[in-house]
Amino acid sequence: MGLLAAAIAVGLAALGAGIGNGLIVSRTVEGIARQPELRSALQTTMFIGVALVEAVPIIGVVIAFIVLGQ
Amino acid sequence: MEVYQHVIARQRKWMFYLLALLVLGWAVTPWQPIFLGLLLGSILSFYNLWLMQRKIRKLGEATAENRSVRGIGTFTRLASGALAVVIALQYEEYFHLISVVLGLMTAYIVIFIDYLFNKSRV
């Protein structure tokens, strides 16, 4: 049962991170392609966005491994 | 290019300060497993931060030059979180588990606080 719980937790964490990052990257690439001179500012915004998106999935994976290890 | 380079340098500086404080805490205070756990988490968190900065810079360069990149390293970052927990569970007598988890969030806390303090310049 613990294995199943860990698998679901990791799977949903990866799904969330994937969807969130996909949205961020697609908009940033679009922005840089339209206005290459704004690259630095867009990269900074993307960086903060990726950090916001990825903090929770990492906690999800960590909890899954704690469940698995006990 | 300047804004992004400044943000990267500032975040790296604050991470080094935090790591130095944690090493000091480990050496001086009696709570060695807690500080060692925080240190392990922070080191892997610093790796995550470095990887994120590098991958996003590469993505920006590639987009500007009309090339494609293979990814932005999301799964490597998830795996490094898992690695921290595996090490902490393997050597439970040296590392405090909750401290490792808190240490893993160090880079994100640094990013958010840095963003809040420098919002007008970003």
Side-chain angles (χ1 to χ4, degrees), chain A residues 14 17 21 25 29 32-33 39-40 43-44 46-48 50-52 54-55 57-59 61-62 65-66 69, chain B residues 1 3-4 11 52-53 56-57 59-61 63 74-75 77-78 82 85 89 101 104-105 108 111-112 115 122:
Chain A
N21 276 341
V25 170
V29 167
I32 295 176
R39 185 176 122 200
S40 179
Q43 270 181 341
T44 311
M46 176 183 165
F47 179 69
I48 293 159
V50 170
L52 268 170
E54 276 185 10
I58 285 183
I59 288 284
V61 172
V62 162
F65 269 78
I66 291 173
Chain B
M1 203 59 231
V3 182
Y4 188 62
Q11 286 167 356
M52 197 150 58
Q53 292 168 342
I56 289 175
R57 184 171 49 81
L59 180 94
E61 279 169 11
T63 311
T74 306
F75 287 95
R77 288 194 284 279
L78 293 183
V85 176
L89 285 174
V101 179
L104 270 176
M105 289 295 109
Y108 300 103
I111 291 171
F112 298 147
Y115 169 65
V122 171

Side-chain angles (χ1 to χ4, degrees), chain B residues 110-121:
Chain B
V110 166
I111 291 171
F112 298 147
I113 293 178
D114 180 77
Y115 169 65
L116 289 179
F117 276 109
N118 298 289
K119 218 191 271 182
S120 55
R121 270 182 277 173

Side-chain angles (χ1 to χ4, degrees), chain B residues 59-100:
Chain B
L59 180 94
E61 279 169 11
T63 311
E65 291 162 14
N66 228 346
R67 284 186 288 115
S68 63
V69 284
R70 291 185 62 175
I72 58 166
T74 306
F75 287 95
T76 315
R77 288 194 284 279
L78 293 183
S80 78
L83 176 70
V85 176
V86 168
I87 293 173
L89 285 174
Q90 192 71 38
Y91 301 101
E92 242 170 333
E93 62 274 24
Y94 298 113
F95 301 107
H96 186 238
L97 187 60
I98 305 295
S99 307
V100 175

Side-chain angles (χ1 to χ4, degrees), chain A residues 6-62:
Chain A
I8 291 172
V10 172
L12 288 178
L15 186 75
I19 292 174
N21 276 341
L23 289 172
I24 293 172
V25 170
S26 76
R27 295 299 155 91
T28 308
V29 167
E30 212 176 282
I32 295 176
R34 270 176 213 260
Q35 289 166 300
E37 69 275 10
L38 285 181
R39 185 176 122 200
S40 179
L42 286 170
Q43 270 181 341
T44 311
T45 312
M46 176 183 165
F47 179 69
I48 293 159
V50 170
L52 268 170
V53 163
E54 276 185 10
V56 178
I58 285 183
I59 288 284
V61 172
V62 162

